[in-house]
Amino acid sequence: MAIAVLALLAASATGCGEKSDPARQTLDRLVAAAKERDAGDFLASLAPDFQAADGSGRADAEAMIRRYFAAYERLDVRISDVSIERAAGAARVRFRADLSGKARS
């Protein structure tokens, strides 16, 4: 689970740095939505033309996120080691995501 969600989060964020940075705000929204298991809020942060690092698209991401959120009663996501590569109109964010939680019985 961690690798799939990490790939999705990494591909979703579009910047980094301080709390006022749009990319950091996106990352924070994704983490909060994951903790709440709120697929709607999580997916609202993805661009319509979203593509994950593995080449999968938005529909694949939506299906995966909904499955994971339905399977867990509680999720905790901790982000560390954030690094940003910026280009014109885009940014690639790399980070470590540690996931833990309680599966539904």
Side-chain angles (χ1 to χ4, degrees):
M1 176 175 123
I3 294 172
V5 175
L6 173 59
L8 182 59
L9 288 172
S12 302
T14 57
C16 177
E18 301 172 19
K19 293 283 185 187
S20 63
D21 184 288
R24 185 60 201 207
Q25 290 172 345
T26 299
L27 187 57
D28 291 344
R29 279 193 311 271
L30 290 165
V31 169
K35 286 181 179 181
E36 294 296 318
R37 295 176 357 269
D38 188 330
D41 280 352
F42 190 96
L43 296 167
S45 294
L46 299 182
D49 60 348
F50 168 82
Q51 186 174 14
D54 67 0
S56 61
R58 185 179 171 88
D60 299 317
E62 182 171 349
M64 179 186 67
I65 288 301
R66 290 191 187 281
R67 281 192 309 271
Y68 286 138
F69 288 178
Y72 282 81
E73 185 176 313
R74 181 178 44 89
L75 276 174
D76 187 38
V77 181
R78 294 179 189 219
I79 303 298
S80 61
D81 301 329
V82 178
S83 70
I84 295 55
E85 298 171 22
R86 295 187 185 269
R92 176 177 294 192
V93 179
R94 293 191 171 130
F95 55 89
R96 177 185 170 105
D98 292 306
L99 304 163
S100 61
K102 180 179 178 187
R104 291 191 186 273
S105 316

